[in-house]
Amino acid sequence: PYAGEIITLKDASGREFRGRVVELLQDRASVYVFEELTQPTDPPFEIFLFQALPDKERMELIIQKGTELGVKVIVPFKSRRSISLQEREAKQPKAHRWQHVAIKATKQCRRATVPYVAPYCSFEGALEMARPLELKVFLLEKEQQRLLPILRNTPPPRSIALMVGPEGGWDEEEIKKAMEVGFVTFSLGGRILRTETAAIAACAILQYEWGGL
């Protein structure tokens, strides 16, 4: 932030406010608070979005919309059928300024918390990060079980791991490994969705069903 900027902030009890930065020093800031928000900008649960790295500008779109939809952590990873960060860099040098994208989106949607964009990692690394989370959702095109009916019979969890695959789909070994750490497979219907559409739609469904929208 900078002096004069309007920000959203949260106190120790979780109440959220809008205020203007009056003074910004190295170790502290003074803010003039002019409004208390009647609805929280962060959802009552934590969504960790694990996203197989897409090409072009799709990762930026996913980060932007995930931020608007209340995602807490975004984890880009390499699956067997996704592009690698090295391949993406060759096409778009310095294209992965992802935390900067999250900060801009946070300001735009007036959230009190900036999502953390984790370092790019392997599929196995993503599974380890997801292991301690309470509910683990794995989107799978060929799965007959739909996401929405299951959510309506499940109480809101404290934390959710949402794993979205690449345009080329999942490798069978990846599906097996995900289920071994507790992921449950679901689909979003009979249509084939682009990876960014699937991520955005699933986040919106989770938020709507459990009080985040």
Side-chain angles (χ1 to χ4, degrees), residues 12 62 67 212:
I62 291 166
T67 298

Side-chain angles (χ1 to χ4, degrees), residues 129-145:
M129 290 183 65
R131 189 183 292 273
L133 302 179
E134 187 175 345
L135 176 66
K136 302 176 185 66
V137 176
F138 190 92
L139 295 187
L140 184 62
E141 292 173 0
K142 63 183 180 181
E143 177 60 63
Q144 295 299 310
Q145 185 171 228

Side-chain angles (χ1 to χ4, degrees), residues 7-148:
I7 61 173
T8 304
L9 61 158
K10 185 182 297 187
D11 68 9
S13 67
R15 296 160 61 199
E16 295 184 1
F17 304 87
R18 293 286 284 170
R20 185 184 300 276
V21 178
V22 176
E23 185 180 30
L24 187 64
L25 303 176
Q26 186 173 358
D27 58 348
R28 65 185 185 276
S30 297
V31 178
Y32 171 70
V33 173
F34 56 79
E35 178 186 8
E36 180 174 0
L37 301 180
T38 58
Q39 298 187 62
T41 61
D42 286 325
F45 47 84
E46 298 177 344
I47 295 180
F48 289 65
L49 172 59
F50 295 85
Q51 176 66 54
L53 184 63
D55 63 1
K56 301 181 181 178
E57 297 81 19
R58 294 177 186 175
M59 191 66 204
E60 286 78 4
L61 177 65
I62 291 166
I63 292 170
Q64 182 186 73
K65 301 308 176 185
T67 298
E68 293 177 28
L69 289 167
V71 171
K72 179 181 177 65
V73 178
I74 301 167
V75 184
F77 67 90
K78 175 70 175 77
S79 70
R80 290 191 180 179
R81 297 175 183 168
S82 70
I83 192 172
S84 70
L85 184 58
Q86 293 73 20
E87 291 170 322
R88 195 174 189 271
E89 279 279 291
K91 297 178 181 178
Q92 296 172 281
K94 299 182 180 179
H96 63 288
R97 298 179 63 199
W98 296 325
Q99 193 63 53
H100 178 68
V101 174
I103 291 171
K104 287 186 64 176
T106 300
K107 291 180 179 180
Q108 183 275 324
C109 69
R110 299 184 178 182
R111 273 185 72 176
T113 306
V114 179
Y116 171 59
V117 183
Y120 171 76
C121 66
S122 66
F123 176 69
E124 290 73 20
L127 291 182
E128 284 305 309
M129 290 183 65
R131 189 183 292 273
L133 302 179
E134 187 175 345
L135 176 66
K136 302 176 185 66
V137 176
F138 190 92
L139 295 187
L140 184 62
E141 292 173 0
K142 63 183 180 181
E143 177 60 63
Q144 295 299 310
Q145 185 171 228
R146 300 283 287 274
L147 177 60
L148 189 55

